[in-house]
Amino acid sequence: LLDFRLVNGEFYVTDSVRASFEENGFILVRGLFDTEEVAKLRKCMEESEDIRSHAYGRSDGQGARSKLCVWNMPGDDVCGVAARTRKVAGTLQQLLGGWELYHYHSKLMMKEAHTGGAHLWHQDYGYWYQN
């Protein structure tokens, strides 16, 4: 699996990027957000009253619960703006070959270290109707 990096703070869809996306269905971009951007995203996710009030738990099937929050519309907060940046939305426009993108949903897994339940990947049925 190839991984890619920003060049001078920008990400460019090269032939290699496109080929990796077409082969794997995704790309890995290391350093897509810099340290300052990650700090702002983390602060938004940890302090957002909207996220806190809309979070809910699902049983992990082993007696514990895993918390998550799902939303359909990217807001005007840091998280919503990050989804609409050129390096995210612009890259997807180029990879998918069109100008119209639809933000299907954002999902924040809120697993608490050592206490939260396990998240069973690809087991999305539990939150499908919340979406």
Side-chain angles (χ1 to χ4, degrees):
L1 175 67
L2 297 175
D3 61 329
F4 303 97
R5 297 190 178 275
L6 277 68
V7 176
N8 298 322
E10 295 289 331
F11 184 70
Y12 301 97
V13 176
T14 63
D15 290 341
S16 178
V17 169
R18 187 175 306 285
S20 183
F21 179 75
E22 290 174 1
E23 179 180 339
N24 300 302
F26 67 93
I27 56 172
L28 175 60
V29 183
R30 299 214 183 260
L32 182 67
F33 295 109
D34 65 30
T35 304
E36 183 179 337
E37 291 168 325
V38 170
K40 288 178 181 178
L41 285 164
R42 183 176 181 162
K43 181 177 179 171
C44 178
M45 289 180 217
E46 289 177 346
E47 296 179 6
S48 170
E49 185 55 41
D50 284 337
I51 289 173
R52 195 174 299 118
S53 67
H54 290 93
Y56 59 96
R58 287 285 179 220
S59 171
D60 68 358
Q62 301 171 358
R65 295 178 69 76
S66 184
K67 280 177 47 177
L68 67 151
C69 184
V70 180
W71 62 96
N72 292 49
M73 300 297 292
D76 293 327
D77 61 4
V78 172
C79 296
V81 171
R84 294 190 298 268
T85 61
R86 181 173 47 177
K87 59 188 173 183
V88 175
T91 297
L92 290 170
Q93 285 175 327
Q94 292 179 57
L95 290 173
L96 297 173
W99 290 103
E100 291 187 32
L101 292 179
Y102 174 75
H103 178 267
Y104 178 59
H105 74 266
S106 291
K107 176 176 28 178
L108 176 61
M109 303 307 302
M110 303 167 70
K111 184 184 180 313
E112 298 170 10
H114 308 293
T115 60
H119 175 69
L120 306 175
W121 293 104
H122 303 291
Q123 300 291 324
D124 59 1
Y125 183 80
Y127 65 80
W128 181 262
Y129 291 102
Q130 298 285 333
N131 189 351

